[in-house]
Amino acid sequence: NTTAVSPAKLSEVFANLKATNGYQKMSNGAIIQWGVIVYTAPGNSPGDITKLNVNFPIAFPTRMSTITFSGFYDTNGNGDDGLECQHSCEVSSKASITFRATRLVGSASPGNQGNAYYIAIGY
């Protein structure tokens, strides 16, 4: 309690990137990261899968604890949901995941664009 925290050290502890794909470091060592994943729609049949590697804005020093996805698929630019996909992933490393979009139902054509949004928490 006798040493003051320098502005540089305080900035390091609470480092962040305020962007579409960004992160916030917390004082307890936790890191919250977020981003958007743009993917190509799976084939026409339920169960068809699109996979792609996604890098986090920064690597988690120890591990990713949890990740959650939400998303939409817009075939015509007006917010209509033309595809229902389940979003999931495999943890590839402390810096990336292998993202999967699995077609459940929907009328969107394969090859159109889908968006998934994620929040990942780790330390």
Side-chain angles (χ1 to χ4, degrees):
N1 290 333
T2 60
T3 305
V5 176
S6 71
K9 189 64 173 173
L10 190 59
S11 179
E12 179 185 317
V13 169
F14 290 102
N16 64 65
L17 174 61
K18 296 173 185 165
T20 302
N21 296 326
Y23 67 91
Q24 176 68 59
K25 289 184 176 181
M26 311 303 284
S27 62
N28 65 359
I31 301 172
I32 301 169
Q33 301 197 59
W34 59 86
V36 61
I37 300 167
V38 178
Y39 64 92
T40 303
N44 285 326
S45 301
D48 286 350
I49 296 173
T50 292
K51 282 185 171 185
L52 65 131
N53 187 59
V54 175
N55 293 316
F56 294 123
I58 61 171
F60 290 103
T62 306
R63 68 183 292 257
M64 180 185 71
S65 300
T66 188
I67 189 167
T68 186
F69 298 100
S70 65
F72 71 92
Y73 187 89
D74 190 358
T75 58
N76 54 17
N78 66 10
D80 291 342
D81 186 12
L83 173 72
E84 186 176 328
C85 280
Q86 176 185 18
H87 299 142
S88 60
C89 70
E90 299 167 14
V91 178
S92 302
S93 70
K94 296 174 191 174
S96 67
I97 58 170
T98 300
F99 171 79
R100 286 189 310 266
T102 305
R103 183 183 283 267
L104 301 175
V105 296
S107 58
S109 299
N112 288 346
Q113 177 180 310
N115 295 303
Y117 303 89
Y118 70 87
I119 295 177
I121 301 172
Y123 54 93

